[in-house]
Amino acid sequence: MKANETTATFPFRDVVRAAVLQAAAMPQTLAALKKVAKAAVTKTWAKAAEAVVNEMVAAGELHAHTQGRSPRYGRDQPPLRNDPVKVRQVLLQAAEQPQTAAQLVKTTVKETKADKAFVETELQRLIKEGRLHPQGPGRSPRYGLHKPTPPHPFDIPPGKTAFARLVTAARKLLHAHPTVAPDDLLHRLRCELLPGSPSSTAQVPSIDQRTPLKAETSPPPLPPTLPTLPTAPLRAYIEEAYNDLCLDPDFQDRLVEIRRLYHWLQQKLPSLSVAEFHRELLQMEKDRLVDLQALNEVHRAKEPELAIRRNERLLYYLIWR
C-alpha cells in the first residue's frame, strides 16, 4: 500500500490531528510534533501518524515560526515580522527623548525584531510626514516628537558675539568700580533700555558719589529735581529669573520649570500671587516672547498648582524665544 493511501485510510487521523494541534500551541520542531503524533496511536499506525504531520504542514495547518534546518512549527500564524503599526509606535515612543536616527533604529529593531532596512524606511516616512522633527543642524541630528524651539538670539551669531562683548564690558566696569553692586548696574541698564525711562546716568549719582549715611540720622531726601527710579515691570524680573536659572545644569537646554521661576521671583517680589504670575506668562506667550510647553507625564509634575492648566494640558515649562 502506498503512503498516501495509508494516510487516507488511516482511521485515527482526526485523533492525531487533535493531539498535534494541541502540542503545537507552543511552536515545536517537526520531529517533536511527529513524536506526539506517534504517541497518539499504536505502533502499527506510527508511520501513518508521521505522514499526517507532513500533510498538516502542506495544508497550512501548521506554520513555521523560525528558520534554519530545524524550524519550529505552531498551530497559529507567527506575528508579522515587519509590522508597520508596531514599528511606528515604537519609533514614536523612543523619540519622546530626542535621539539620532541610528539610535532610534537600533532601539526599534531590538524591541520589535523587525528588519533594520524596514525600520529605516518607516523612520524616513515619519520624518516626511512631519511626525518626527530634527532637533538641530548637522549630518546626524537628533529627532524628537516636537518641533525644537528656536534658540535665543543671544545664543547664536551675531547676537552671541555682541552679548559676550557686553558681558565682558560689564565685568570690566564692575572691576574698575568695586563699590558698585551688580544690581545697581543692572538697574541703570534697565532705565536706559526700557522705552520712556529717564536716563539714570545723567540724573542718579553712583554709589561711591553718594553722601555717606550717619548711623544716628536717617537718609537725606533726594533733591526735588531727581525723579524716583521706575520699578522694573514683572516681565523684566521674569527674564532675569530665566537667565539666572539657565545657568543651572538642570536647565542646560534652556527649558525652565515654571514653578522654579515663581520661587525665584518670590524672593524679589514676596507679594507676587500665582494668578498674577500666570497672567503675565500668558500675555508674554501671546506677545510671542516665550513658549509655554506641556508636561506629557502629568503624574510626574512637582507642585502642579504653580503650572498653568490649559484644557487637558499642564503647561509646565517655559523657554524664551
Side-chain angles (χ1 to χ4, degrees), residues 12-24 36 52 56 75:
F12 301 115
R13 188 176 187 282
D14 291 339
V15 174
V16 173
R17 285 183 68 258
V20 170
L21 289 173
Q22 183 178 1
V36 170
V52 171
M56 294 175 69
R75 70 184 182 190

Side-chain angles (χ1 to χ4, degrees), residues 235 278-288:
R235 66 177 56 184
H278 285 177
R279 281 196 300 270
E280 186 64 28
L281 291 186
L282 292 172
Q283 184 60 45
M284 292 172 69
E285 181 190 42
K286 186 177 179 181
D287 294 341
R288 302 183 62 81

Side-chain angles (χ1 to χ4, degrees), residues 17-65:
R17 285 183 68 258
V20 170
L21 289 173
Q22 183 178 1
M26 292 295 292
Q28 302 185 44
T29 63
L30 281 182
L33 292 175
K34 288 179 178 181
K35 187 175 180 180
V36 170
K38 289 189 291 184
V41 297
T42 61
K43 290 183 179 181
T44 304
W45 297 99
K47 287 286 186 181
E50 289 184 348
V52 171
V53 176
N54 292 332
E55 286 182 4
M56 294 175 69
V57 173
E61 294 182 84
L62 295 175
H63 308 276
H65 281 241

Side-chain angles (χ1 to χ4, degrees), residues 138-284:
R139 294 184 178 180
S140 300
R142 295 181 302 160
Y143 289 89
L145 292 179
H146 308 290
K147 290 183 178 180
T149 303
H152 192 282
F154 292 168
D155 291 333
I156 56 175
K160 184 176 182 180
T161 303
F163 183 73
R165 290 174 180 168
L166 175 62
V167 172
T168 300
R171 286 173 177 166
K172 288 181 179 179
L173 183 61
L174 291 174
H175 181 73
H177 301 279
T179 58
V180 177
D183 284 346
D184 191 18
L185 174 61
L186 292 174
H187 191 72
R188 287 169 172 265
L189 282 173
R190 286 196 192 97
C191 292
E192 291 290 344
L193 298 176
L194 291 175
S197 298
S199 174
S200 61
T201 56
Q203 299 176 355
V204 181
S206 61
I207 290 179
D208 53 356
Q209 295 174 334
R210 295 172 189 165
T211 305
L213 301 180
K214 296 181 180 179
E216 66 276 6
T217 61
S218 59
L222 292 174
T225 56
L226 293 179
T228 303
L229 291 177
T231 302
L234 178 55
R235 66 177 56 184
Y237 280 107
I238 293 175
E239 182 176 8
E240 182 180 353
Y242 176 82
N243 290 329
D244 189 31
L245 289 172
C246 283
L247 300 176
D248 192 315
D250 291 342
F251 305 124
Q252 291 182 6
D253 57 358
R254 304 187 68 82
L255 196 65
V256 176
E257 293 179 357
I258 290 175
R259 69 183 186 92
R260 293 285 295 274
L261 280 172
Y262 182 72
H263 289 313
W264 192 101
L265 290 168
Q266 270 200 316
Q267 297 177 9
K268 294 287 185 75
L269 306 169
S271 62
L272 178 65
S273 67
V274 176
E276 184 181 4
F277 173 57
H278 285 177
R279 281 196 300 270
E280 186 64 28
L281 291 186
L282 292 172
Q283 184 60 45
M284 292 172 69

